[in-house]
Structures are given as C-alpha cells and as structure tokens.
Amino acid sequence: MKIEYNLKSIVPWGRTLDEYRAMFLLNKKDLKQKILGCGDGPASFNVEVRALGGDVVSIDPIYAFKKEEIAKRIDEVADEVIAQVAKNKEGFVWKNIKSVDELYQTRMRAMREFLADYTEGKKEGYYQYQMLPQLSFIDKEFDLALSSHFLFLYSEHLDYEFHLKAILEMLRVAKEVRIFPLLTLKNEPSPYVDRVIIDLESLGYKTKIIPCDYEFQKGANEMLQII
C-alpha cells in the first residue's frame, strides 16, 4: 500500500517526553538506548531526550517540510482539533491530562519546543523524512523503536499487509519494538493486533501486551512489546 502525503492532509499534534514515558513505560535505562521514533511528528520527545543525553532519531513525512510550513499548518489546525476534543469530551479520560485547556497548553508547548529545535535538528539527522514500511537504516541500528499513534490507530486507512510490513521493518532496524495504542480512531480494538501477534510469533518473535500508565483516548491503555 503506497501512501501519498501532502501538508494539507497532515494534522500535526505533538506529544511530550512525559507522555512517551507513560505510553511506552520508558525507564532511565530505556532512555539511554539508541531510539527510533516512528511517526513522531512535531513531538518534543526527541529534543527532550537529547537534553538528557539520550540518542534519538525521529522519522515522519512531515519532516519533508520547512519549519515555517509546519508552524503554519499547526496554526491552521490547533484550534479546530481542540474544538473537536471539547465537543467529544466523553470519549477521553481526563487523568494524565486534566482538562481541554491543559491539553491545548501541553500540545502547544511540545510543538513549540519541536519547532525551536527542528531546523538544526534536521541538519544533524535527528529528524529524517522517511516512511514505513521501508527505512534506510542498517539492520539493528537501534536498540528500541517506538510507534506512537500511528500503527493500529489507523487500521481503517492502512491495511493488514502494511501493518505487518511496517512492524517487520521496525524489527529489522531495532532490537525491540513498542507500539501504542492498540485501538483504532473509533476507540475499538484494532482487528490487526491478534493477527500481527500470531504472524510474528510464527516467525520467532516474542510479543507481549502490557498495561501502561497512560490513557487519554478511552480504553487506550495498553502497548504491544515485540522482541
């Protein structure tokens, strides 16, 4: 399945290191590993981990664009996204994030931190325009690969073949893969999770569904670990 991206089709929405810690149960040891973030978008995760001395590369189609273009797109969609969340508040769990206003402030802070780092970070190779299911990295270049709010979430848009190929490619370039969440955009269990587990285990991988410390989308409180 080939995906065509343009800036108008992308809704940039950045998450923080604290959210990544909770979603993926990242501990101090994890954050000292070489990490690949798949679909990080305008998250502050990359710059925050590097500020702690960590080593992170993020990939995303949005990195094809310049800082000014991404900033303009953020301005275009932020208020609309927040309005939709406010309209559908019952579909979310206000635990990690306590209110719509806190959500807005958290997202905008993350995206501002990303934008401040982006131009130089891209030159240094921390932000790379690459897309699953085909990456340019060598085998086992990373210790840990993370997929935040991409695989499984977009099960209606990306077919099973894409999911399996993408995960196998992440496993090619990293020793361990973690994926969050396991629900679709409709808050339903992805129909691909069980199939992925069966196919991966038949290939010799070990999989585990682990409850995590994060829940914003209602019911989205588990991640898939693959080694």
Side-chain angles (χ1 to χ4, degrees):
M1 172 180 284
K2 186 177 179 181
I3 310 171
E4 298 293 339
Y5 286 100
N6 60 72
L7 194 53
K8 285 292 182 184
S9 71
I10 295 171
V11 179
W13 209 229
R15 293 174 176 84
T16 65
L17 171 57
D18 283 345
E19 290 179 281
Y20 272 67
R21 276 194 177 111
M23 290 187 292
F24 296 110
L25 299 177
L26 298 173
N27 56 34
K28 289 182 180 179
K29 181 180 177 182
D30 292 328
L31 293 175
K32 290 180 180 178
Q33 298 188 95
K34 187 167 185 180
I35 300 173
L36 175 65
C38 298
D40 283 341
S44 59
F45 170 70
N46 190 307
V47 63
E48 288 189 82
V49 173
R50 286 189 287 113
L52 297 174
D55 185 357
V56 184
V57 172
S58 296
I59 63 162
D60 198 284
I62 203 173
Y63 304 151
F65 303 100
K66 296 179 181 177
K67 171 183 175 179
E68 294 75 18
E69 294 174 304
I70 298 173
K72 183 174 183 291
R73 183 61 180 153
I74 289 170
D75 289 340
E76 288 172 351
V77 304
D79 288 344
E80 179 184 345
V81 172
I82 288 295
Q84 288 297 318
V85 172
K87 185 179 178 181
N88 299 284
K89 283 180 68 174
E90 68 282 355
F92 301 94
V93 177
W94 301 96
K95 177 185 70 171
N96 301 84
I97 296 170
K98 303 297 190 296
S99 67
V100 174
D101 183 63
E102 183 181 334
L103 175 67
Y104 180 80
Q105 297 302 328
T106 299
R107 293 285 174 267
M108 294 308 292
R109 177 179 67 79
M111 292 190 283
R112 282 193 295 267
E113 288 189 32
F114 161 81
L115 288 170
D117 182 62
Y118 176 63
T119 302
E120 189 61 31
K122 188 176 179 181
K123 287 179 184 176
E124 296 294 327
Y126 298 122
Y127 304 104
Q128 297 188 23
Y129 170 56
Q130 295 200 46
M131 289 179 286
L132 291 167
Q134 189 170 359
L135 305 176
S136 68
F137 306 111
I138 63 173
D139 292 0
K140 305 306 179 196
E141 185 169 340
F142 298 90
D143 299 303
L144 178 61
L146 307 175
S147 170
S148 164
H149 294 85
F150 176 52
L151 295 174
F152 299 134
L153 187 67
Y154 290 93
S155 292
E156 289 192 358
H157 304 78
L158 304 168
D159 62 18
Y160 179 73
E161 182 183 10
F162 177 92
H163 276 73
L164 186 59
K165 284 183 177 179
I167 294 168
L168 288 173
E169 182 70 347
M170 292 170 71
L171 288 164
R172 181 185 69 79
V173 303
K175 299 170 187 173
E176 178 185 346
V177 168
R178 299 180 193 179
I179 302 170
F180 178 93
L182 307 185
L183 299 188
T184 69
L185 287 167
K186 292 183 177 180
N187 281 26
E188 298 171 347
S190 168
Y192 302 149
V193 174
D194 290 343
R195 289 178 65 187
V196 160
I197 288 172
I198 290 168
D199 284 346
L200 291 177
E201 291 188 347
S202 73
L203 293 172
Y205 294 102
K206 296 179 181 178
T207 66
K208 189 175 184 181
I209 294 177
I210 305 174
C212 56
D213 296 331
Y214 187 88
E215 185 180 7
F216 183 57
Q217 182 187 7
K218 192 171 286 186
N221 57 3
E222 294 178 322
M223 71 163 177
L224 177 63
Q225 178 192 52
I226 311 161
I227 56 176

